[in-house]
Each structure stands twice: as C-alpha cells, then as structure tokens.
Amino acid sequence: MRTRDLGGVVVAAALPYRADDSAPAGLAVDYDTYAAHCRWLVDNGCRGVGPNGSLGEYSSLTDDERRRVARTAIEAVGTDGIVVVGVHAPGAHQARQWAEAAAEDGAHGVLCLPPTLYRANRGEVVAHFAAVASVGLPVMVYNNPFDTKVDLTPDLLAEIAQIDNVVAVKEFSGDVRRVLEIRERAPGLAVIGGADDVVLESLLMGATGWFAGFPNVFPAESARLYELATTGKLDEAKALYEPLVAAFRWDSRTEFVQAIKLGMDLVGRYGGPCRPPRGPLSDVHREQVRADMGRALAALGVA
C-alpha cells in the first residue's frame, strides 16, 4: 500500500515486555504479544499503528530491538493498515538512518521529532527534517514542545511544509487554535491531533487524523469517535467523548506510558511494566487512573 495520506486513527502502540534476566533491566521485548496487539488495533477499526514513539519507549530500546519492533508492526499489520515508524533521534544523521531502515522494512511513513538532546534553532530544525524527508518516505513532523523545548509554531511549520515529502504534523501543543492557523499558513500540510484530551476539538477544527495513545485501550470506541467527529455527528461524538476525557488526560501527563499500560491491564489486555527510566505509578496515580478508567468503562457499559 503506497500512500502519502497518514491520517485516520493511527495508534502509538504500547510495547509489552516479559521478564528476562539477560535483557536490559531484566525486561525483554515480547514481540509475539506486540504483534498480536498491533493486529488487534487494526482489527478493531484503527487505520494503523506507530511503533517506536515515546509511548513505545523507543529511547529505552537497543538498536536491534528498535528495528525489530518496527518490523514486527509492519508484518503484523500487513496490507490491512498503515505503519508510521518513529525515527526520533539526537541528530539528523541518526534520524535519517532510522528512516532508511523504515523504508527498507516497508513502512508507509515516519514520525519525527526535532533533535531530541538539545534545543535546536530554526535553521537546524528545518535541516533536520529535510535530511529525514530526503529518504523518500512521507514524513509526519512531531510538535512536542514540552519534551523537546522546540515549538514548531505555525510560521515555522509553513517553512517546514515546503520540504518535499513532509506531509503532516502531529500537533501536541494542546492549543487547538493552532489547527486553523496551520491550515491557513501551510494549506498542504495535514494536521494530525496528537493529544487525546483535545482530539475532538482538533477534529472539529479540521484535523484529519489522530495519532493516538488511549486507543491502545479503547480502539473500537476511538475509531467510532473519529468517524462521528469527521462525519458531522457532533452530538453523538460529544456523548462518547465526554466520559472518556478524564482517562484521555493522562495522555498529556508525565506518566502517560504507565497510565495507558495500566488502562490496558484494566480492560483485560496486557500492558505490563515499563523499562527504566520509567518506573511504576505511585499509589496515588494508580488509584486516580483506576477511577478515571472506571468512569470511562461505566459509560461504555463495560464496568
């Protein structure tokens, strides 16, 4: 499947581990469970998956693990969806190498942060994305100013959008006012909602996709929410969205990986532990996630 359209519901797939004393931190990637999870997401209505994102704990993986994770997702999804591989890296040469690997392995596109280890200036940011885009795969640039300290503002995105093969931005600033401004300044650039707790607002303002976290827990319901929002069924969309938002807010918190994995455990999937440096949730956070998930599950008729 060849496409430059990276929209729809693409899930930043959470990564399962199994105990193994010989693996880093005693946790080995469980590739079979990961493949089954990717398949489950697509079978439940999501358009595709995004391996090796922050939720996929890419920064805790060895190089061999990271590439095998991407290959596992690509093989699991097959021709039934798209796979947008995270190629985040300290610099352009490393990010480009990951993009080249993704192309070789059959990915449909890549997701890329600005340089991750320092606060790059405007020219460095543009050069970084140009290097990744030169590989030839469609590129979704990722605006996460909280973690990178680099804000891909609408005017900067207008410049980045001139790079061949840059087709979309995952917008995680949380400022839904930007959706329209990006569309005005860079009309050829697709805006993809990146924060679960403002996804409905983003879709109503013209975002054409959702690069998502909590659909690891609620894939069918999330695909339904996307369909309702993009077909003008606002009342139904609001009724579905409102009781989920308390859980969705965890997608924008420091403990988002742990919270989403706990959510998976609570619905009978396997989330499991995170590999360090991420530790377990505190007791307070764990109980709050349980409460927020409880409200969501009750509304969905699962509790």
Side-chain angles (χ1 to χ4, degrees):
M1 185 197 313
R2 299 295 297 176
T3 180
R4 291 175 61 84
D5 173 15
L6 303 182
V9 181
V10 176
V11 185
L15 190 65
Y17 298 101
R18 55 180 175 78
D20 183 341
D21 290 341
S22 67
L27 293 169
V29 177
D30 187 335
Y31 297 101
D32 290 342
T33 299
Y34 184 66
H37 182 58
C38 291
R39 188 70 236 178
W40 179 71
L41 295 171
V42 172
D43 288 345
N44 276 273
C46 298
R47 186 172 180 226
V49 299
N52 292 335
S54 301
L55 181 54
E57 301 179 68
Y58 78 93
S59 59
S60 297
L61 302 178
T62 67
D63 285 356
D64 288 344
E65 288 173 328
R66 185 168 172 178
R67 186 158 191 187
R68 187 174 171 187
V69 165
R71 286 174 169 169
T72 299
I74 292 164
E75 291 170 5
V77 170
T79 60
D80 296 321
I82 65 171
V83 178
V84 183
V85 176
V87 298
H88 321 305
H93 58 293
Q94 298 105 320
R96 176 175 172 155
Q97 287 175 349
W98 285 118
E100 290 170 343
E104 290 173 7
D105 294 338
H108 301 88
V110 297
L111 176 70
C112 188
L113 286 165
T116 57
L117 289 186
Y118 74 104
R119 186 173 182 173
N121 64 33
R122 187 182 185 104
E124 291 166 341
V125 169
V126 173
H128 183 84
F129 290 126
V132 172
S134 69
V135 172
L137 282 178
V139 176
M140 182 187 301
V141 303
Y142 183 2
N143 184 36
N144 185 340
F146 307 104
D147 290 339
T148 66
K149 310 306 178 186
V150 175
D151 192 357
L152 304 182
T153 56
D155 70 297
L156 177 52
L157 286 169
E159 183 175 353
I160 294 168
Q162 301 305 308
I163 301 169
D164 288 344
N165 297 318
V166 172
V167 301
V169 56
K170 177 181 176 180
E171 223 305 295
F172 194 77
S173 71
D175 184 355
V176 295
R177 295 172 299 182
R178 290 193 176 190
V179 177
L180 285 176
E181 188 175 356
I182 294 167
R183 292 176 59 207
E184 291 164 3
R185 289 176 176 261
L189 191 69
V191 181
I192 308 299
D196 291 356
D197 55 337
V198 289
V199 66
L200 179 57
E201 295 88 336
S202 298
L203 292 171
L204 294 177
M205 289 298 99
T208 57
W210 178 11
F211 210 101
F214 257 91
N216 279 284
V217 182
F218 306 118
E221 295 80 4
S222 299
R224 176 62 175 160
L225 175 62
Y226 179 83
E227 177 189 9
L228 292 171
T230 54
T231 56
K233 299 176 181 177
L234 179 57
D235 289 342
E236 292 177 69
K238 287 170 62 178
L240 176 56
Y241 181 58
E242 185 176 352
L244 302 181
V245 167
F248 281 3
R249 289 192 187 109
W250 286 96
D251 183 53
S252 297
R253 294 175 179 161
T254 301
E255 302 82 8
F256 72 105
V257 181
Q258 297 95 319
I260 289 170
K261 283 188 164 186
L262 176 56
M264 293 167 64
D265 291 334
L266 292 173
V267 297
R269 305 298 298 176
Y270 177 72
C274 296
R275 189 181 271 179
R278 294 188 186 277
L281 291 169
S282 69
D283 290 343
V284 171
H285 284 159
R286 177 174 290 273
E287 290 310 306
Q288 188 61 57
V289 172
R290 287 181 178 275
D292 294 339
M293 279 291 301
R295 178 185 176 193
L297 294 173
L300 297 174
V302 178

